Amino acid sequence: INAEYGWTTDDGFCGVFAASIATAFLPPTGALGGGVYAIAVYGGVVLFSALMLYQTQSIIKGCERTPYNAPYDPISASIGIYMTTINLFVRILQNSGQWKTKIK
């Protein structure tokens, strides 16, 4: 997905990936580690939500533009949505776990 503002989803994926790697080395109890962890979790939620919307629209447009007799399998195309849903669920679980550790 390209945006008019000069950034792409590849930049977002790279940023969330780098933040996820950095959380292995920075403890989330510090200020810098907590910020990096928040980028990894909340950035992942926003990014995977946007990706799910894009993939859904792409499948709908593919079904609308494909002629009746042409081979198009929306079920196979929806495997990406399934993987995005799993990634989004993992990010939400990480967010829930973060709140649980802050209470203690």
Side-chain angles (χ1 to χ4, degrees), residues 15-75:
V16 170
F17 179 72
S20 296
I21 296 295
T23 57
F25 301 106
L26 297 171
T29 55
L32 181 62
V36 170
Y37 185 77
I39 290 172
V41 172
Y42 296 116
V45 168
V46 169
L47 201 60
F48 286 119
S49 297
L51 182 63
M52 185 181 297
L53 291 174
Y54 174 75
Q55 288 172 336
T56 304
Q57 287 298 316
S58 176
I59 290 172
I60 291 171
K61 294 292 183 187
C63 289
E64 290 175 349
R65 292 181 182 165
T66 304
Y68 177 71
N69 296 331
Y72 181 74
D73 188 14
I75 303 300

